[in-house]
């Protein structure tokens, strides 16, 4: 069982969550499942990745509908009832080289079901076939489409690379608004620094079971194209953070992107952004996906939903 908050300190509203012995045992068993899956999976890498992500179950009472317009392609993930004018723009992870809206429907549904707000999960151009600024442009096109449909209160949510893309999108909207301002951003293990300069990238005490520094280095090179790794479109950590909406950042302490989250939250707070940073002890990369296995995953998503509900109601 997940422990209560152990501490809350600093201007970032930092919260640290510990694990019970029982939850640590479940986490260890899940890591064995990860190793077995990645050690035996066969097929095209993107298809394997989608099978892994697609194992996150779809919440009961959720409708899944494909969407394709001239500028936006993805899936609507919708509850039976929702407040008119509210929506989530969901940006998926995968290192900018993998992932699809279809694979992420289950994960998005876990947020939608808790919040009772529909989510548009989009497909954006992947590297190496496409490079910057293709992905941010696709995210802004989806935002514009939601505004044109009459949605006036929109939050942006993303995981891993999609979390980085979420923060880039929010910065772009702060500088060049398209309709209403975002009500909030929520990111899970965001990739904020493509220079890979965070201490957790090489920390020998970190045992990330899902991603390594070499993988991230390869993805970064494919995604950024001609842009420098510290360009704000690639690495939101180095961008202008003034004017961002309230942010929730959740990250596990046993992952390479730990310092991407910590440093981003610290920078955002220093620039006056209301930000909540949650550190989950011993958890792996985007542990929120594992709702079928971990109480920590369910609790973290409950907290994310409460944060977003407060933002929508503000």
């Amino acid at each position: 069982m997940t422990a209560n908050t152990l501490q809350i300190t600093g201007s970032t509203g930092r919260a640290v969550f510990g694990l019970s012995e029982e939850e640590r045992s479940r986490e260890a068993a899940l890591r064995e499942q990860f190793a077995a899956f990645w050690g035996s999976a066969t097929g095209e890498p993107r298809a394997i990745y989608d099978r892994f992500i697609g194992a996150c179950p779809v919440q009961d009472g959720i409708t899944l509908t494909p969407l394709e317009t001239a500028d936006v392609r993805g899936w609507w993930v919708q509850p039976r009832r929702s407040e008119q004018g509210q929506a989530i723009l969901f940006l998926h992870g995968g290192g900018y080289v993998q992932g699809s809206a279809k694979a992420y429907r289950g994960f998005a549904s876990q947020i939608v079901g808790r919040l009772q707000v529909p989510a548009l999960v989009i497909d954006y151009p992947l590297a190496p076939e496409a490079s910057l600024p293709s992905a941010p442009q696709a995210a802004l096109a989806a935002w514009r489409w939601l505004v044109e449909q009459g949605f006036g209160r929109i939050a942006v949510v993303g995981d891993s690379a999609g979390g980085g893309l979420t923060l880039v999108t929010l910065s772009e909207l702060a500088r060049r608004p398209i309709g209403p301002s975002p009500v909030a951003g929520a990111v899970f293990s965001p990739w904020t620094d493509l220079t890979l300069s965070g201490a957790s990238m090489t920390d020998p005490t970190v045992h990330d079971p899902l991603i390594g520094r070499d993988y991230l280095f390869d993805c970064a090179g494919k995604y950024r194209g001609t842009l420098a790794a510290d360009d704000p479109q690639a690495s939101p950590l180095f961008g202008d953070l003034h004017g961002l909406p309230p942010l929730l950042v959740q990250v596990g302490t046993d992952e390479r992107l730990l310092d991407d989250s910590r440093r981003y939250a610290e920078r955002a707070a220093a620039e006056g952004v209301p930000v909540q940073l949650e550190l989950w002890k011993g958890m792996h990369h985007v542990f929120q996906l594992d709702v079928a296995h971990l109480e920590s995953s369910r609790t973290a998503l409950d907290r994310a939903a409460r944060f977003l509900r407060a933002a929508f109601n503000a």
Side-chain angles (χ1 to χ4, degrees):
M1 180 176 181
T2 305
N4 291 328
T5 302
L6 298 178
Q7 62 182 20
I8 301 178
T9 59
S11 59
T12 60
R14 184 167 69 105
V16 182
F17 295 84
L19 303 180
S20 67
E21 287 297 328
E22 184 180 0
E23 186 74 344
R24 276 195 284 267
S25 177
R26 286 191 288 261
E27 168 70 6
L30 187 58
R31 290 178 181 232
E32 292 181 2
Q33 292 182 35
F34 291 161
F37 176 87
W38 291 108
S40 62
T42 59
E44 196 271 329
R46 285 176 178 167
I48 295 172
Y49 182 85
D50 278 3
R51 287 205 303 273
F52 181 80
I53 298 298
C56 186
V58 176
Q59 275 266 38
D60 292 339
I62 299 296
T63 300
L64 307 175
T65 308
L67 172 74
E68 186 162 2
T69 74
D71 299 313
V72 183
R73 185 166 64 88
W75 285 80
W76 267 117
V77 180
Q78 297 169 290
R80 289 195 180 100
R81 295 182 180 179
S82 60
E83 290 288 334
Q84 189 172 5
Q86 298 182 357
I88 293 168
L89 173 59
F90 188 99
L91 304 173
H92 71 75
Y96 299 114
V97 303
Q98 301 180 109
S100 69
K102 185 175 182 179
Y104 271 84
R105 295 175 303 174
F107 188 26
S109 79
Q110 295 296 328
I111 301 167
V112 168
R114 286 167 166 79
L115 189 58
Q116 296 299 294
V117 169
L120 175 60
V121 188
I122 68 162
D123 283 307
Y124 55 84
L126 298 177
E129 294 88 345
S131 58
L132 282 168
S134 297
Q137 288 174 345
L140 291 172
W143 176 275
R144 184 178 293 106
W145 185 86
L146 286 169
V147 171
E148 290 171 351
Q149 305 313 301
F151 291 99
R153 297 188 65 74
I154 309 169
V156 189
V157 177
D159 72 293
S160 194
L165 183 56
T166 291
L167 299 173
V168 169
T169 301
L170 292 173
S171 289
E172 288 291 321
L173 290 170
R175 292 190 299 124
R176 289 186 287 272
I178 301 172
S181 298
V183 300
V187 288
F188 310 114
S189 304
W191 190 11
T192 68
D193 175 14
L194 270 65
T195 74
L196 311 183
S197 63
S200 56
M201 281 290 167
T202 54
D203 185 343
T205 68
V206 171
H207 303 287
D208 193 321
L210 294 177
I211 57 173
R213 190 181 187 282
D214 290 346
Y215 168 76
L216 293 170
F217 181 82
D218 181 65
C219 292
K222 292 173 179 175
Y223 175 63
R224 61 185 178 85
T226 60
L227 295 182
D230 62 355
D231 188 287
Q233 287 194 83
S235 299
L237 178 65
F238 305 114
D240 182 358
L241 277 56
H242 287 96
L244 295 184
L247 299 176
L248 172 66
V249 182
Q250 292 182 344
V251 66
T253 62
D254 204 21
E255 59 170 304
R256 291 295 165 206
L257 293 179
L258 170 59
D259 281 316
D260 280 51
S261 289
R262 285 197 290 215
R263 291 181 299 153
Y264 188 91
E266 290 166 0
R267 270 215 61 210
E271 296 196 24
V273 179
V275 55
Q276 298 179 28
L277 172 65
E278 295 186 358
L279 304 173
W280 291 75
K281 288 282 190 178
M283 287 288 99
H284 59 272
H285 185 60
V286 195
F287 67 92
Q288 296 85 348
L289 278 160
D290 299 298
V291 292
H293 304 279
L294 298 175
E295 184 178 346
S296 298
S297 305
R298 298 186 290 272
T299 302
L301 288 174
D302 290 343
R303 292 181 61 82
R306 287 197 293 272
F307 167 82
L308 290 168
R309 174 45 59 204
F312 276 113
N313 290 344

